[in-house]
Amino acid sequence: MSELDEQLEKLKEENQELREKERMYQLVSKSAVGAFMYCSFVNRRVCTLGQWEDFFDFEVREMNDIFKLLESVDESSVSGLRNILFLEAHGKESATTECLLKGHRIWVQFCVKVYYADGGQPTDKIIYINNITKYRSQNEELAYMAYYDSMTGLYNRNYFVRLLSEFVRKALEYNQIISIMIIDIDDFKNINDGQGIMIGDELVQQFGCFIKELCKNNIIACHLHSDVYCIAIHDPNKKACVEVIHNAIQKRLKEPFKLSSGKEISITVSIGVAEYPDAATSALELINCAEIAVFKGKSLGKDIIHYFDVSVMEDFMGTIELEDKLKKAIANQNFILYYQPQYYSGSKKLRGVEALIRWQDEDSHFIQPSVFIPAAEKNGAIIPIGKWVVEQSIKQYAIWRRQFGFPFIMSINISALQYKKDDFVDSVVGNLRKYGVSPNEIELEITESVLIEDFDAVYEKIKILKDCGIRISLDDFGTGFSSLAYLTRLPIDTLKIDKTFIDTVLTDSSTRVITESIVNMVKALKFESIAEGVEKEEQYQYLKEIGCDIIQGYLFSKPLSPMQMEGILQEGKV
Ligand code: C2E
Ligand code: MG
Ligand code: MG
């Protein structure tokens, strides 16, 4: 082969290698997700590679076309891009910036890299453009989530606390006042339970939107949790104040909320107010105090605005202490049942006993049920306590029934929450079986509050219990709504006339008229009537005269310990 042929052959090989490299480089740049712009300072050549058309609608032919990049980004991004496009002017090597492309909602990252010769002269520049929209929107979403509540669009608790802390800092510096309002939708649980969570959520969202409308620079609000919102007002000029916001809320609530299903819901709210610096001096403490105020307000009724002061705090601490003690008492089984006898008014024979719970605390003091039952109902402790009462009273009855050999009635007080438990009926019936007690010797006392909350659900359970042969008694009659409709609809056996009637029956003529009507009505409906809290002989004589069937009260006996009660039962036997 001649030398020329050899050189030709080598050239061909090199050419082939070059074509392969060219192809490889074309493929790599085509498969890159971004776009590139290459500039050579040596021969002033420019070209674009990768997915250029995905980002820009102009072609690049000469060095000056680089300026077209500045025209293609949103105004807000121009100066950032200009700062990095001409790095070579400052001898820098690389830099990046994020820009929004004009006309699209596309965020891109520009990376500029400049290469220099040994002498410091720029030789080449590569601009890499990468789509970062997804990453940006994820970040934006994260940022949103960090500040806002997704359901209502109000601030979330964390960010609100940060802003409130800022209010507090300013108020401290300038000796100003901040008001905190906690707004809690009344009976929200009923809406959620009765109408479904979707309706509840939509209501929370709509009310949240309304609260947002009240916000300005000096008024901020957040969705604290569930159906609870918090507003903070820091207005040194006193244009906005609790009263103004309260009035706006009241005005709005005169109209119902129109839900997407077409349903309309009217609500009331309870509001707790605490003020800086009187109530507390930190953001979290202020929110806490307003929460305590709303909690106190709710215990007094609904649709109420309640201001925090020292007495509210003292009250609250008392409740907490009691709730703590209750938890321990359940664990340590510090409860005992007392029994109060009930007698037939005519024969004065024992009709039955009412089981009444007592709590013996660590110092052996008796705590009365009127003190701890409401707290136990509030924190749910009534469920384990009530279960214990049911089992203990049935067990005790079974022992006495065997020991003394005659039947009587064991009355057991049942709370509204207990009826709501799915296993309530089973647990009563199960205990009767376990201790071999006949159902018609057990009477369950219900109060009107049980019925008011959810008549239908309770009615179903009462009917099942009644069908099992268990007796039902309506307790404290006359203290609640005393709807006569209950009396005709409910399968009850006994009606207990509340002590408040008995207290004034001798002195107040209208009480007398009502008591006599109740006794007559009970007779007509073929129930039994029990007068509660009979303390005086005259009361007893009068009640006997008007035909009240059974008497329970201190006149005959106070509630007795099991041992004392055994004494009475012993007498009953002989
Ligand atoms: P209640 O069911 O109406 O019970 C009658 C209350 O009146 C009892 O108070 C009893 O000691 C009291 N009493 C009876 N006769 C007289 C009297 O002549 N004069 C006076 N001043 N009081 C009399 P107690 O034992 O303090 O119970 C208060 C309430 O606590 C009960 O009212 C009942 O609602 C509730 N309770 C008691 N034990 C239980 C229980 O085991 N479970 C539930 N859920 N509630 C209970
Ligand atoms: Mg009772
Ligand atoms: Mg009662």
Side-chain angles (χ1 to χ4, degrees), residues 491-506:
I492 58 171
D493 302 273
T494 313
L495 188 141
K496 299 185 79 172
I497 307 166
D498 193 68
K499 181 175 180 298
T500 48
F501 285 89
I502 312 305
D503 283 346
T504 52
V505 82
L506 296 177

Side-chain angles (χ1 to χ4, degrees), residues 340 354 357-358 369 413 415 475-476 499 532-533 535 554 559:
Q340 188 175 32
E354 176 176 7
I357 195 167
R358 300 290 178 262
N413 289 286
S415 277
D475 199 2
D476 302 342
K499 181 175 180 298
E532 286 191 293
E535 293 178 343
Y554 291 178

Side-chain angles (χ1 to χ4, degrees), residues 329-538:
I330 295 171
N332 301 337
Q333 303 244 336
N334 291 137
F335 297 105
I336 172 168
L337 286 182
Y338 268 46
Y339 301 90
Q340 188 175 32
Q342 301 166 332
Y343 295 94
Y344 288 110
S345 60
S347 64
K348 287 197 181 174
K349 281 204 162 146
L350 184 76
R351 179 258 186 186
V353 297
E354 176 176 7
L356 293 161
I357 195 167
R358 300 290 178 262
W359 168 11
Q360 215 166 359
D361 72 4
E362 303 102 51
D363 313 323
S364 290
H365 292 131
F366 272 139
I367 303 174
Q368 295 306 310
S370 52
V371 175
F372 70 87
I373 293 280
E377 282 176 336
K378 198 169 69 43
N379 75 356
I382 193 67
I383 298 296
I385 295 175
K387 255 196 174 143
W388 177 83
V389 170
V390 169
E391 170 146 17
Q392 183 58 28
S393 50
I394 293 177
K395 184 171 157 191
Q396 180 65 79
Y397 180 77
I399 294 171
W400 285 339
R401 178 74 177 83
R402 236 168 285 133
Q403 190 177 348
F404 300 103
F406 60 88
F408 56 100
I409 287 166
M410 172 65 77
S411 273
I412 309 167
N413 289 286
I414 306 288
S415 277
L417 269 183
Q418 287 174 269
Y419 274 97
K420 286 188 183 157
K421 278 285 182 196
D422 291 341
D423 62 353
F424 175 64
V425 174
D426 290 345
S427 99
V428 175
V429 175
N431 276 309
L432 291 178
R433 267 198 217 114
K434 182 172 170 188
Y435 296 105
V437 169
S438 138
N440 62 1
E441 286 155 27
I442 295 298
E443 184 169 70
L444 301 184
E445 294 195 3
I446 59 168
T447 57
E448 283 170 274
S449 60
V450 175
L451 303 167
I452 288 159
E453 281 202 18
D454 195 351
F455 186 90
D456 293 333
V458 174
Y459 175 79
E460 279 308 310
K461 291 204 175 154
I462 291 178
K463 226 169 110 7
I464 302 172
L465 291 162
K466 179 81 184 138
D467 290 344
C468 296
I470 294 164
R471 301 173 62 91
I472 306 291
S473 150
L474 193 55
D475 199 2
D476 302 342
F477 188 78
T479 53
F481 289 80
S482 297
S483 166
L484 297 179
Y486 294 144
L487 295 183
T488 51
R489 283 178 65 194
L490 273 176
I492 58 171
D493 302 273
T494 313
L495 188 141
K496 299 185 79 172
I497 307 166
D498 193 68
K499 181 175 180 298
T500 48
F501 285 89
I502 312 305
D503 283 346
T504 52
V505 82
L506 296 177
T507 50
D508 185 71
S509 58
S510 50
T511 309
R512 255 200 313 279
V513 172
I514 297 173
T515 310
E516 284 175 28
S517 327
I518 295 174
V519 170
N520 288 333
M521 185 180 61
V522 168
K523 272 203 187 334
L525 292 168
K526 303 210 167 19
F527 309 152
E528 280 183 321
S529 52
I530 301 183
E532 286 191 293
V534 179
E535 293 178 343
K536 296 188 180 121
E537 179 65 27
E538 298 82 355

